[in-house]
Amino acid sequence: MSCITKHHIMTTLKILLITALIVVNMAIFNGNLKLNSNSMVANKVESATEEPTATVIPTATAANHVEHVIQQRFEKRSDNVRRICDARGSKAASVTKPQELFDVPSIGLLWCPTFKAGSSNWLDLFCKANFNHQIYENCDISTMRANNPTTRYLSVSAEDFHYNKVMKQELGLPFMTVRNPVTRFLSAYRDKWEMARSPSFYKKRYGEEMVRMYRSVDPILSEEEKEALLVEAGNVILNKQLGSLSHAELVKNPYLNPPGPTFKEFVKWAVNGGMDPHIMPYYQSCAPCSIDYNILRLEKLNEESGYLFSVIERSYLNLDFRMSLNVHGKTDDCLLKYFRTISKHDLQLLYSIFFKVDCDLYSYPCKDTMNEVLALGRISKELVRC
């Protein structure tokens, strides 16, 4: 009897133990389900608040998504230009004709060149597409202007120029490239005039004029002596003899110390009526209030040029844009150093003449940059190079 009782008790305990284990496992399983379910909901909420990334979009859809994003950028830029142009008293709207346009039938584009904003890359592309190897090797903007049969050069100097009339012809898709106007202005100076880097620009493009007008020289010198020193400096620069002169020899001639205009002299010249295609505001060179351009940004040029080529069904084209680097530092990194050498008065003039309209048209924060320069304070010492 006692054995039977012990047996029954042992059996009952085993059953209770197994039942308990089953209940515990089910509770854990249900808890995991509940936890996983909550995690899935949390992930859904999180993904709904983030923009989709390329890694979660199938390849074909990803390409369409990128094109859609770029198309929206273009539309937003065009809308902003129209809004600025339609504003009462718009300065941009006062310019009704572009300086020049190039129609390239072989590619299907109508280009308004904006120098120091990717123009060299576009010229290279157009030259490759239109000219044989011999011409291409020496192809530049002058070649395009020569009215070669493979391109149509449309100049405002032509008496019959009228864009509405021009647009009745079968011309390409109008486009232009823009860049932050403040950065572009400084880049033009550093690339073309600083330290007489380009001798031809020193002589032909007002470099000599800038130093003649704004270089501080010993007041004891007569006008004839000043002119003789200026001619001497010009010959040294044009003959590329700067490297062969000692520091002492350079210091003797105020027009070679430094060679070429300083940034302060360059700005003085510009705000007092100086103008060159490399610093001309976009609204003056391209008349965006008269022509509905597709507007590309230099900062996103490879991506946006690819989209432009797909629109004109020339996806095989590749601009392969690469920003040329100044050995003395990137222009963006040096910007504040240069502009802090400029007086508040000249900064305000520079902003008004060269930056404000373009920055409004193309949504660049130029005013913020100018305010940052003013807040940091002026550097009285002349900056020769970054």
Side-chain angles (χ1 to χ4, degrees), residues 362-382:
Y362 305 111
S363 303
Y364 282 103
C366 306
K367 193 169 185 178
D368 292 345
T369 304
M370 294 294 102
N371 286 335
E372 186 177 0
V373 171
L374 291 171
L376 287 169
R378 187 181 177 193
I379 301 172
S380 58
K381 186 179 179 181
E382 184 72 82

Side-chain angles (χ1 to χ4, degrees), residues 48-111:
T49 59
E50 294 179 351
E51 289 186 357
T53 60
T55 55
V56 297
I57 302 175
T59 305
T61 311
N64 294 335
H65 173 72
V66 170
E67 288 190 359
H68 178 67
V69 169
I70 298 174
Q71 182 184 0
Q72 286 182 319
R73 282 185 210 155
F74 279 27
E75 291 173 354
K76 185 177 180 181
R77 291 170 194 166
S78 294
D79 289 345
N80 188 65
V81 168
R82 280 192 288 271
R83 181 180 62 81
I84 300 295
C85 290
D86 291 342
R88 186 168 181 169
S90 170
K91 192 174 181 180
S94 66
V95 181
T96 59
K97 295 179 181 179
Q99 292 290 314
E100 57 186 357
L101 292 170
F102 292 93
D103 183 47
V104 190
S106 61
I107 293 180
L109 291 173
L110 181 66
W111 178 49

